[in-house]
Amino acid sequence: MGGKKKDKQDKEARKAKDALNAKKAVKAEPAGPMKAKDYDREMKKLHIELVKLQQWVVHKGLKVCIVFEGRDGAGKGGTIKAITERVSPRVFRVVALPAPTEREKSQMYIQRYMPHWPAAGEVVIFDRSWYNRAGVERVMGFCTDEQAQKFLAATPMVEKAMVESGIILLKYWLEVSPDEQTRRLRARADDGRKIWKLSPMDIKSYTRWDDYSRARNDMFAATDTPWAPWFVVKSDDKQRARLNLIAHLLSKVPYKKVPHDDAEPLPKHRKVSKGLEPAVPLKCVPDVF
């Protein structure tokens, strides 16, 4: 009888444990898609903070460099657009370099990126960067393995020099799952607004998931340093990824609201004279809509 009672107690304990684990698993499941109004509300708050950051960067002469890397379809472009849509392009500058010219190929590898690094009062965002050598160039055979290894060995010291010169360097890797990447790349092919994003190189790269994974792992191992760490953003949920990344960016660049006098209100009245229209005939755009 004692054995049966113990078995029953063990069975009930297992059930209770299974129920607890199931409850934890439900909590761990990712939340569903954000409602558009919730996303817009949170993004508006972050945009206000980005404007404050912009004013502080100019006020204090800060130099901020933000690197975006990740597989094709990871959401780099959309995240960069979310960051920059409410700030000045004279302060937030996006750099997306094309393939190197023959002259640039003969230079020190990182040389063509250096002129784009920020000066005082600038935030420079690299939509892909010198890390092309650790990723696409290595995987697609545009550089030798020896060249890639030399790049990985030298980059931490170059980035240390950047940081010691006063540049705030932030490096983000957007991580997308295989299924979500497939969905996004197919969507590009079917959408006339996005077809330009799907290049022959993207299609070739698509078949080399494991090669990119190994290259990413080597890159992290060699260049994730105390002075220039990598920050990984899970980007299957684009909206949450953008919000999370911008919130993190704001937390990594110290800023305050710039003290300034309140703007003067617009005058209640102003003179608007008639008869000052141009004398030449105007070529107006047709009212199609």
Side-chain angles (χ1 to χ4, degrees), residues 31-267:
M34 290 187 74
K35 293 180 180 179
K37 65 177 182 180
D38 294 336
Y39 173 75
D40 292 341
R41 181 183 66 249
E42 296 303 322
M43 186 58 76
K44 181 178 179 180
K45 294 177 185 176
L46 293 174
H47 280 156
I48 291 171
E49 294 304 312
L50 283 170
V51 170
K52 292 179 184 177
L53 172 64
Q54 170 182 267
Q55 293 173 323
W56 188 255
V57 165
V58 173
H59 179 65
K60 286 294 187 179
L62 299 184
K63 299 178 288 185
V64 183
C65 182
I66 307 171
V67 169
F68 277 85
E69 294 291 341
R71 303 174 196 269
D72 298 318
K76 298 181 294 297
T79 304
I80 292 171
K81 183 178 179 181
I83 293 171
T84 59
E85 63 182 335
R86 295 292 182 175
V87 292
S88 170
R90 290 184 292 275
V91 179
F92 279 74
R93 185 159 50 86
V94 179
V95 177
L97 297 185
T101 63
E102 290 303 316
R103 181 177 182 276
E104 288 171 334
K105 289 178 182 178
S106 70
Q107 295 174 343
M108 174 185 173
Y109 176 73
I110 206 168
Q111 185 174 340
R112 76 184 189 119
Y113 294 96
M114 294 173 70
H116 300 280
W117 290 352
E122 292 182 341
V123 178
V124 175
I125 300 174
F126 280 91
D127 185 353
R128 294 199 182 278
S129 65
W130 46 96
Y131 281 101
N132 272 344
R133 173 132 296 183
V136 63
E137 289 192 13
R138 183 179 188 181
V139 172
M140 302 306 295
F142 297 138
C143 72
T144 65
D145 191 60
E146 181 183 5
Q147 288 174 320
Q149 292 299 334
K150 286 183 177 179
F151 166 82
L152 292 174
T155 297
M157 293 301 100
V158 173
E159 292 178 348
K160 190 170 187 179
M162 291 175 69
V163 172
E164 289 178 348
S165 76
I167 293 175
I168 298 172
L169 177 59
L170 297 173
K171 303 186 303 190
Y172 290 106
W173 174 272
L174 275 63
E175 184 68 28
V176 65
S177 66
D179 291 344
E180 181 61 16
Q181 185 195 44
T182 297
R183 189 193 68 77
R184 291 179 185 177
L185 294 181
R186 283 178 177 165
R188 290 180 182 181
D190 297 335
D191 191 333
R193 300 167 299 174
K194 300 178 180 179
I195 190 65
W196 63 273
K197 293 184 177 182
L198 190 63
S199 69
M201 185 59 61
D202 296 335
I203 296 172
K204 290 180 181 178
S205 298
Y206 174 73
T207 63
R208 302 189 180 184
W209 179 274
D210 288 350
D211 291 336
Y212 272 100
S213 294
R214 284 187 281 268
R216 175 205 58 199
N217 294 346
D218 288 348
M219 182 185 76
F220 284 169
T223 63
D224 182 42
T225 60
W227 54 88
W230 280 102
F231 298 106
V232 177
V233 182
K234 295 181 180 179
S235 64
D236 277 11
D237 186 326
K238 285 184 177 182
Q239 291 179 318
R240 286 188 172 85
R242 292 169 188 171
L243 295 173
N244 289 332
L245 191 150
I246 295 173
H248 183 269
L249 187 164
L250 289 166
S251 75
K252 301 304 289 186
V253 183
Y255 70 98
K256 299 178 183 178
K257 185 176 180 179
V258 175
H260 59 78
D261 296 331
D262 292 335
E264 294 184 6
L266 289 174

Side-chain angles (χ1 to χ4, degrees), residues 249-287:
L249 187 164
L250 289 166
S251 75
K252 301 304 289 186
V253 183
Y255 70 98
K256 299 178 183 178
K257 185 176 180 179
V258 175
H260 59 78
D261 296 331
D262 292 335
E264 294 184 6
L266 289 174
K268 292 183 178 179
H269 302 285
R270 62 173 174 168
K271 184 178 180 181
V272 180
S273 302
K274 296 182 179 180
L276 295 179
E277 291 78 10
V280 298
L282 301 179
K283 300 176 182 64
C284 295
V285 173
D287 294 328

